[in-house]
Amino acid sequence: MKLLVCGGAGFIGSNFVRLRVRDHGDDVVVLDKLTYAGRRENLHDTLDQVRFVHGAIEDPDAVADAIEGVDAVVNFAAETHVDRSIADPDAFLRTNAIGTYVLLEAARAAGVRFLQVSTDEVYGSIEEGSFTEESPLQPSSPYSATKTGADLLVASYFHTYGLETVICRGSNNYGPYQYPEKLIPLMVLNALHGDKLPVYGDGMQVRNWLYVEDFGRGIGHALAHGAPGEVYNCGGPDECPNIEVVERIVSLTGNDASLIEHVTDRPGHDRRYSLSSEKLRALGWEAQVHFAEGLEQTVAWYRENAWWWEPIRSGDYREYYERQYGRALG
Ligand code: NAD
Ligand code: TYD
């Protein structure tokens, strides 16, 4: 297949591109704006096997260039961090909502299949049980609200124009190449440096952890076998409260729990996410990596790949970290 992968220089997108080039021999075009979260280094071993277009999904000219001759579009491109969306939602509206609209228009003009990568956060929080694809959409943060808006727009292009759309909603991902603003890489790198580990509130919020390659395979399944107009949930095999995730990281890095510090909770913090993935399983997908094994591999990857994170920790990330945690951590 010839695929246009938007946001292919980010965390999940780069792992997906690697999987498609390595295991499927796909011809891949990557369109990426290279924001703080998108890096050519994420594709260091694959970049020479893809066509890379540096541009924004909300730019119709860049999109028209990148979409030329492809069979399908897979859209990972997004602003993705909930805390940043709380501090400043602007870029989330532009990329997640307007950007998706520009891509949909281009896919309609080209008549190609469109897979939107979405998130469990569109359903909001669930105390017990799991969300199915039929559950109501009740996003809580500016991030999840803009992802929900994008999902609704994607659905409208199926109903109104007959565009072949598929939506795949993943739960919290973890693994190599994740920018250290997110819980797991932030805690791993802080622990490796003996820095404080900032847990929001009581740390009893629960996330449904999905290894990044399992999500990549799930998206591939939805792309190849999903019915037009349908939504497929792709949830991880295990759930874990945040405090336990952090305690496991403390132990895997040979540290002491005294590094853990409870800080002010995130506003509007969703308590628990959980997805039922029966519908995707019926297409033949199954998560292969359990949390204990995936977390151990992830900690080992960060330990062994200082070349990847050192430039991040010494760059703009420091400023972000000071702004987000400086006061709380003294
Ligand atoms: P990320 O922040 O690591 O990467 C986002 C990528 O999109 C970067 O390469 C960035 O440069 C690019 N990008 C941002 N704005 C752009 C624009 N306007 N035009 C072109 N490129 C742009 O994000 P991620 O964690 O890899 O998430 C990828 C997708 O998966 C997102 O759509 C996200 O909503 C979804 N998702 C993420 C998770 C998770 O746990 N991280 C879970 C479920 C779904
Ligand atoms: P995050 O990785 O930001 O993903 P999401 O908000 O999309 O689930 O956060 C995962 C969980 O970890 C979430 O409940 C918030 C919490 N968290 C902390 O307790 N401390 C932190 O420093 C961060 C970044 C997250």
Side-chain angles (χ1 to χ4, degrees):
M1 266 185 123
K2 184 163 179 181
L3 295 180
L4 169 57
V5 182
C6 304
F11 160 51
I12 308 176
S14 63
N15 279 285
F16 178 76
V17 168
R18 190 169 290 108
L19 194 75
R20 298 304 298 196
V21 168
R22 188 189 65 201
D23 296 354
H24 297 260
D26 282 341
D27 197 356
V28 171
V29 181
V30 171
L31 172 64
D32 200 294
K33 188 177 173 182
L34 298 177
T35 65
Y36 73 93
R39 304 175 72 219
R40 289 178 201 270
E41 288 85 343
N42 293 354
L43 290 167
H44 64 102
D45 52 356
T46 332
L47 203 53
D48 60 352
Q49 294 163 71
V50 304
R51 177 176 167 235
F52 188 86
V53 180
H54 183 194
I57 56 167
E58 64 273 25
D59 173 359
D61 294 336
V63 172
D65 170 20
I67 206 168
E68 182 78 45
V70 306
D71 304 308
V73 176
V74 182
N75 182 31
F76 291 92
E79 288 291 336
T80 60
H81 192 40
V82 172
D83 293 327
R84 289 186 195 251
S85 84
I86 293 168
D88 185 3
D90 195 78
F92 290 74
L93 270 297
R94 285 178 208 290
T95 293
N96 302 2
I98 307 283
T100 302
Y101 155 68
V102 172
L103 282 180
L104 283 165
E105 275 297 301
R108 177 159 86 97
V112 297
R113 179 169 265 236
F114 187 94
L115 188 137
Q116 174 73 355
V117 179
S118 185
T119 165
D120 56 1
E121 301 191 27
V122 300
Y123 299 116
S125 193
I126 187 166
E127 291 288 324
E128 280 175 19
S130 302
F131 289 120
T132 71
E133 293 78 359
E134 308 303 320
S135 300
L137 304 179
Q138 292 182 317
S140 316
S141 70
Y143 161 67
S144 51
T146 56
K147 292 295 291 184
T148 306
D151 281 11
L152 294 176
L153 202 58
V154 170
S156 80
Y157 271 62
F158 167 72
H159 291 293
T160 309
Y161 305 114
L163 181 68
E164 265 198 41
T165 63
V166 177
I167 296 174
C168 189
R169 295 186 178 135
S171 59
N172 279 69
N173 276 229
Y174 68 104
Y177 305 99
Q178 187 169 31
Y179 193 82
E181 63 191 354
K182 304 284 187 344
L183 178 73
I184 288 182
L186 185 146
M187 297 297 171
V188 172
L189 292 186
N190 280 17
L192 290 175
H193 289 83
D195 294 343
K196 292 276 183 206
L197 307 176
V199 172
Y200 295 160
D202 64 5
M204 292 308 292
Q205 304 83 4
V206 172
R207 296 294 182 262
N208 181 191
W209 292 101
L210 175 64
Y211 194 64
V212 65
E213 285 197 6
D214 277 335
F215 193 28
R217 282 187 280 266
I219 291 166
H221 255 80
L223 179 67
H225 310 296
E230 292 295 318
V231 177
Y232 297 89
N233 287 344
C234 186
D238 303 299
E239 56 180 60
C240 192
N242 293 339
I243 188 70
E244 196 186 317
V245 173
V246 178
E247 284 165 357
R248 284 183 191 217
I249 291 171
V250 164
S251 144
L252 286 166
T253 53
N255 264 295
D256 191 82
S258 62
L259 286 182
I260 297 175
E261 194 147 320
H262 289 268
V263 299
T264 310
D265 208 349
R266 172 187 279 174
H269 200 168
D270 283 336
R271 204 67 188 161
R272 177 171 173 267
Y273 296 138
S274 179
L275 285 181
S276 157
S277 313
E278 287 310 311
K279 194 169 161 186
L280 190 59
R281 271 206 208 95
L283 294 186
W285 172 84
E286 195 71 58
Q288 291 173 14
V289 182
H290 276 286
F291 189 52
E293 179 197 347
L295 188 62
E296 205 177 320
Q297 281 174 23
T298 302
V299 171
W301 187 87
Y302 280 91
R303 209 193 269 286
E304 289 157 15
N305 287 280
W307 70 270
W308 182 84
W309 52 257
E310 262 169 359
I312 296 177
R313 287 208 15 134
S314 59
D316 295 349
Y317 176 71
R318 282 250 69 86
E319 254 172 58
Y320 164 76
Y321 193 85
E322 278 302 314
R323 263 199 324 274
Q324 181 68 22
Y325 300 97
R327 185 129 44 97
L329 293 176

